[in-house]
């Protein structure tokens, strides 16, 4: 994996994303690791860094729905489902939605669905808007370890040169709720 210099500058982080690097950024509850979801090399680097199986798939986080639209099978969503989803966004709700058939397997894993969230958290909004598209979002930790809560913990786990948006998390006590869009069932409510 390529490493760029430590930076809280959005321009530098966007450059790192375009360079297929993995970056860290604050989310609503913990620090997240992210990369360009369309770049297989970047996603593979993230999987290797986290020691995570590709089969699980990833959450995509975005500033607005249009950044997620191409990954979603809109034909599988009726108006009632769309109303339910859009009434919760932007916000800390992640929806599992049928994936568009062209969505890469390195994003969906072994699933025919995709987990997506439009975040209201300003640092995620700013980063996603500057990058121009959605980001992979997974907790910043090695699999099985507690997620990083600060930029300092990122440096301790991943090295001092790791690209990180050095701002505070939003302070939510738990990660986003994950709901199934078609059934409305709760998948994760920690």
């Amino acid at each position: 994996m390529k490493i760029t210099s430590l930076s809280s500058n959005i321009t530098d982080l966007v450059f790192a994303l375009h360079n297929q690097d993995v970056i860290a950024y604050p989310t609503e509850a913990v620090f997240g690791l992210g990369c360009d979801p369309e770049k297989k090399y970047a996603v593979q680097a993230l999987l290797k860094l986290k020691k995570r199986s590709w089969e699980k798939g990833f959450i995509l986080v975005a500033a607005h729905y249009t950044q997620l639209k191409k990954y979603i099978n809109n034909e599988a969503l009726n108006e009632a489902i769309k109303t339910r989803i859009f009434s919760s966004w932007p916000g800390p709700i992640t929806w599992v939605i049928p994936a568009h058939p062209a969505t890469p397997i390195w994003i969906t894993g072994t699933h025919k669905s995709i987990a997506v969230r439009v975040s209201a958290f300003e640092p995620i909004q700013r980063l996603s808007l500057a990058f121009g598209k959605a980001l992979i979002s997974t907790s910043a930790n090695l699999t099985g370890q507690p997620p990083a809560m600060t930029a300092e913990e990122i440096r301790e786990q991943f090295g001092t040169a790791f690209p990180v948006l050095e701002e505070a998390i939003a302070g939510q006590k738990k990660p986003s709720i994950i709901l199934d869009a078609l059934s409305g069932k709760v998948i994760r409510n920690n």
Side-chain angles (χ1 to χ4, degrees):
M1 175 178 56
K2 298 171 255 169
I3 300 290
T4 58
S5 62
L6 179 70
S7 174
S8 62
N9 181 317
I10 292 288
T11 303
D12 292 342
L13 292 170
V14 168
F15 177 80
L17 289 167
H18 285 297
N19 201 37
Q20 299 189 50
D21 288 344
V22 176
I23 67 165
Y25 56 93
T27 71
E28 293 86 351
V30 298
F31 262 79
L33 295 176
C35 65
D36 185 338
E38 296 173 17
K39 303 297 183 186
K40 186 176 182 180
Y41 173 86
V43 175
Q44 288 174 329
L46 191 153
L47 289 167
K48 184 177 178 182
L49 178 68
K50 253 186 94 83
K51 299 179 179 163
R52 175 184 167 131
S53 169
W54 71 273
E55 296 169 335
K56 287 180 157 185
F58 287 104
I59 293 173
L60 295 184
V61 66
H64 47 77
Y65 177 70
T66 57
Q67 292 179 324
L68 298 169
K69 197 172 181 178
K70 71 180 181 179
Y71 303 106
I72 294 169
N73 181 354
N74 274 306
E75 294 176 12
L77 306 177
N78 63 34
E79 288 307 311
I81 292 170
K82 288 178 184 177
T83 298
R84 183 171 45 212
I85 292 168
F86 295 146
S87 70
S88 72
W89 283 347
I93 306 280
T94 297
W95 290 94
V96 175
I97 299 174
H100 188 280
T103 300
I105 193 169
W106 59 82
I107 299 173
T108 61
T110 59
H111 310 284
K112 297 201 180 299
S113 57
I114 187 164
V116 292
R117 180 170 81 251
V118 174
S119 179
F121 187 45
E122 195 275 334
I124 292 175
Q125 286 263 328
R126 191 168 9 107
L127 183 59
S128 185
L129 288 171
F131 185 46
K133 56 184 164 180
L135 300 165
I136 294 281
S137 185
T138 185
S139 59
N141 61 301
L142 300 175
T143 298
Q145 298 297 314
M149 304 295 283
T150 66
E152 183 58 35
E153 289 179 11
I154 295 291
R155 288 189 285 278
E156 289 170 7
Q157 286 191 51
F158 302 109
T160 58
F162 200 87
V164 59
L165 180 59
E166 292 200 47
E167 296 185 29
I169 61 174
Q172 282 186 200
K173 300 294 182 204
K174 299 176 182 178
S176 67
I177 295 169
I178 301 178
L179 301 172
D180 181 272
L182 299 183
S183 69
K185 290 183 180 176
V186 176
I187 296 171
R188 179 179 78 187
N189 188 20
N190 2 356

